[in-house]
Amino acid sequence: MKTAKLTLAGQEFDLPVLEGTEGEIGIDITALRSEAGAITLDPGYGNTGSCTSTITFIDGEKGILRYRGYPIEEIAQSATFEEVCYLLLYGDLPATDELQEFNDRLTRHSMIHEAMKDFFQDFPATAHPMMVLSTMVASMSAYYQRALNEADLDLNMIRLLAKAKTIAAFSYKKSVGQPFVYPRNDLSYTQDFLHMMFAVPAEPYAVPPVLNRALNLLLILHADHEQNCSTSSVRMVGSSQASLFAAVSAGICALWGPLHGGANQRVIEMLEMIRDDGMDFRKYVNKAKDKDDPFKLMGFGHRVYKNFDPRARILKTAADEVLDQLGIEDPLLEIAKNLETVALDDEFFVERKLYPNVDFYSGILYRAMNVPTEMFTVMFALGRLPGWMSQFKEMRSDPRGRISRPRQIYMGEALRPYVPLEQRGTSKAKVEVEKPELTTA
Ligand code: ACO
């Protein structure tokens, strides 16, 4: 076994070195603290592996993304979202009968408990759908409690995947004041979701194939992305043996933030702002470069991709095709392309290796599909569900698995004695209390 040498305070330590399938090198520091009395410090975990995994491979320098070994370009071109869910959850592409059975299970579990419908009535109409989704997913723990062994976990994963689209569509219906449309077992996953979103009881609705294909692509491209912020949250919460529903609910909350999945909503808001402000792309590129200005180019930059994000490339082409097929001319697509051209030519972005990420073009597609801006991150969450669940499953079955519990380097006050309240004075004129000499036993 290869080792790395660490010299600390004149002493040498041998640390085992792991090599991944694609030659990535990791220094195993599992025994570092017990042997050397030291920990590593890596805010934001940019250099820290939290696990070994067999699910997704990314090479950020080369713009490579693979699910279980399959290149994202091939999967996006040919697979259905259901096949990708199966692949991520069970490790291999399904055979025909396996896919049939999987689809049957997914459709059979798509209704939510009738009592859960009442929850929607009590949220304010202005509630953000990510809040609704995370709350409803957490509340599934109350209705579907069994997850004691692997068979139960599998059943709950199917339930969650099947019901999440119903919850997402119901939250949209509630926000526009329309009656809920129930799931239909004769439709595919994506068709069923679009039907629940856009059908009304007053007239028949046939899902346009172009929307179905676009949604299938979007969900596939978001299906997994190894140890990102939301997935790490799912793993961390799950490591305490909390339920699948609790862990995924935490993942949804983590995804909501604008630096993560929430960026897709912010991208469209940014593009609208540029449109309403006279389409001056350069002004906004300059604002993003200005260190005194908190403005960032949303949908730009990535912790891992330092050349291009393959998902963004696929979505840029798809945006052109889908808008063309729908006969839509969206000025925001033109603004996005111009912004990309200006930014990619600018030294600031080139030096920092900042490229459009998956969120940069996805919103343009969602807009064309009539999905409201506030729902964009919910769409991301729907796509990411199979990834979160397969990572949860992998984490739970890892024999090396332990509760996630990072360390810290404490930089606060040294030991000091408690000062009674009457000696502390007011906040305006705090009494300086002399620190007595500390004595150690
Ligand atoms: N606009 C302007 N400057 C940027 C941007 C941006 N979008 N992104 C990074 N930078 C700059 C930073 O200011 C920093 O500059 P400095 O070195 O002079 O201080 C440098 O590029 C490195 O950026 P970091 O923030 O350190 O990179 P990190 O890996 O921590 O963050 C992140 C990655 C959060 C994605 C960041 O690029 C960002 O905030 N982008 C905008 C939000 C976004 O699109 N998020 C979606 C990411 S994809 C996803 O989660 C699905």
Side-chain angles (χ1 to χ4, degrees):
M1 187 198 287
K2 287 184 195 161
T3 54
K5 275 203 190 312
L6 170 77
T7 309
L8 186 66
Q11 234 191 310
E12 272 200 355
F13 301 92
D14 282 333
L15 301 168
V17 171
L18 251 78
E19 191 170 333
T21 312
E22 301 293 337
E24 328 97 285
I25 301 293
I27 301 169
D28 183 344
I29 57 157
T30 317
L32 181 63
R33 191 169 181 277
S34 59
E35 287 179 9
I39 63 163
T40 56
L41 185 65
D42 184 20
Y45 307 130
N47 307 281
T48 297
S50 59
C51 58
T52 57
S53 179
T54 60
I55 302 170
T56 290
F57 171 69
I58 301 177
D59 183 331
E61 275 69 35
K62 296 188 184 138
I64 293 174
L65 168 62
R66 291 181 202 144
Y67 297 158
R68 303 275 189 194
Y70 296 104
I72 190 65
E73 293 79 6
E74 288 180 29
I75 298 254
Q77 172 91 32
S78 312
T80 61
F81 180 58
E82 290 92 325
E83 277 179 274
V84 173
C85 290
Y86 189 100
L87 172 68
L88 290 171
L89 291 173
Y90 304 114
D92 262 319
L93 284 169
T96 327
D97 55 329
E98 288 168 332
L99 183 60
Q100 180 63 48
E101 195 203 329
F102 184 65
N103 284 341
D104 286 350
R105 294 179 78 203
L106 271 188
T107 50
R108 235 178 304 128
H109 288 284
S110 57
M111 285 195 301
I112 56 170
H113 194 292
E114 275 296 292
M116 288 178 77
K117 262 178 33 189
D118 297 340
F119 295 177
F120 290 97
Q121 308 307 342
D122 293 333
F123 293 125
T126 51
H128 196 285
M130 282 298 272
M131 184 285 296
V132 177
L133 184 65
S134 71
T135 307
M136 296 301 285
V137 167
S139 74
M140 282 179 70
S141 316
Y143 293 94
Y144 310 101
Q145 292 181 9
R146 285 183 339 141
L148 303 174
N149 56 43
E150 196 166 330
D152 291 336
L153 174 61
D154 190 64
L155 175 61
N156 277 347
M157 290 194 308
I158 296 285
R159 282 177 173 147
L160 181 47
L161 193 53
K163 293 178 203 306
K165 68 174 173 354
T166 313
I167 293 171
F170 280 17
S171 76
Y172 168 68
K173 286 299 197 194
K174 155 80 181 163
S175 75
V176 290
Q178 289 181 4
F180 298 142
V181 174
Y182 279 66
R184 270 184 31 192
N185 286 6
D186 59 326
L187 299 176
S188 73
Y189 192 91
T190 45
Q191 284 170 329
D192 193 26
F193 174 70
L194 291 167
H195 187 263
M196 285 191 284
M197 283 281 285
F198 299 120
V200 287
E203 58 188 15
Y205 173 82
V207 177
V210 53
L211 295 197
N212 188 45
R213 278 196 302 275
L215 181 59
N216 189 62
L217 175 70
L218 281 156
L219 296 187
I220 288 176
L221 292 180
H222 288 88
D224 193 49
H225 216 235
E226 47 115 310
Q227 310 312 317
N228 55 79
C229 175
S230 55
T231 303
S232 299
S233 305
V234 169
R235 278 187 178 256
M236 184 171 258
V237 173
S239 77
S240 75
Q241 310 241 311
S243 79
L244 173 75
F245 304 125
V248 169
S249 175
I252 294 167
C253 290
L255 185 73
W256 189 1
L259 296 189
H260 193 13
N264 58 12
Q265 175 177 341
R266 300 297 177 98
V267 169
I268 290 297
E269 289 164 357
M270 173 187 78
L271 296 175
E272 287 172 341
M273 184 167 73
I274 297 174
R275 178 196 61 198
D276 299 343
D277 190 27
M279 315 266 264
D280 188 351
F281 326 113
R282 199 160 291 280
K283 172 178 163 187
Y284 285 89
V285 168
N286 288 338
K287 268 169 78 64
K289 287 158 57 176
D290 183 354
K291 290 283 166 205
D292 297 324
D293 190 329
F295 177 82
K296 277 185 170 190
L297 271 195
M298 297 312 284
F300 253 77
H302 199 276
R303 172 62 62 79
V304 179
Y305 292 121
K306 298 299 171 198
N307 188 345
F308 66 93
D309 179 339
R311 303 165 302 172
R313 276 199 174 169
I314 296 172
L315 284 179
K316 186 180 179 184
T317 312
D320 269 330
E321 286 168 7
V322 171
L323 267 65
D324 191 42
Q325 286 165 30
L326 291 171
I328 294 174
E329 273 185 33
D330 187 347
L332 297 199
L333 179 57
E334 283 319 301
I335 297 174
K337 284 184 185 170
N338 285 324
L339 203 56
E340 180 183 347
T341 309
V342 174
L344 293 189
D345 212 26
D346 191 293
E347 209 176 306
F348 177 94
F349 291 87
V350 175
E351 247 175 35
R352 289 169 179 74
K353 300 184 167 42
L354 302 172
Y355 298 87
N357 58 51
V358 68
D359 293 320
F360 196 63
Y361 286 105
S362 62
I364 309 264
L365 277 159
Y366 292 133
R367 257 166 75 86
M369 296 165 73
N370 263 333
V371 176
T373 313
E374 283 215 327
M375 282 285 289
F376 289 2
T377 315
V378 169
M379 307 301 292
F380 190 149
L382 271 190
R384 185 53 56 86
L385 259 184
W388 285 333
M389 294 193 301
S390 47
Q391 300 273 351
F392 180 96
K393 185 178 164 189
E394 186 178 73
M395 178 266 304
R396 276 296 187 50
S397 59
D398 184 349
R400 282 179 27 144
R402 304 167 76 192
I403 188 167
S404 291
R405 203 305 187 183
R407 295 262 177 180
Q408 63 163 17
I409 302 289
Y410 175 69
M411 301 292 228
E413 294 281 348
L415 179 64
R416 52 180 174 167
Y418 175 79
V419 179
L421 181 61
E422 58 277 13
Q423 290 176 28
R424 275 178 254 155
T426 63
S427 60
K428 279 198 180 139
K430 245 188 185 166
V431 178
E432 271 293 310
V433 182
E434 215 178 299
K435 285 185 194 168
E437 288 258 306
L438 290 172
T439 49
T440 46

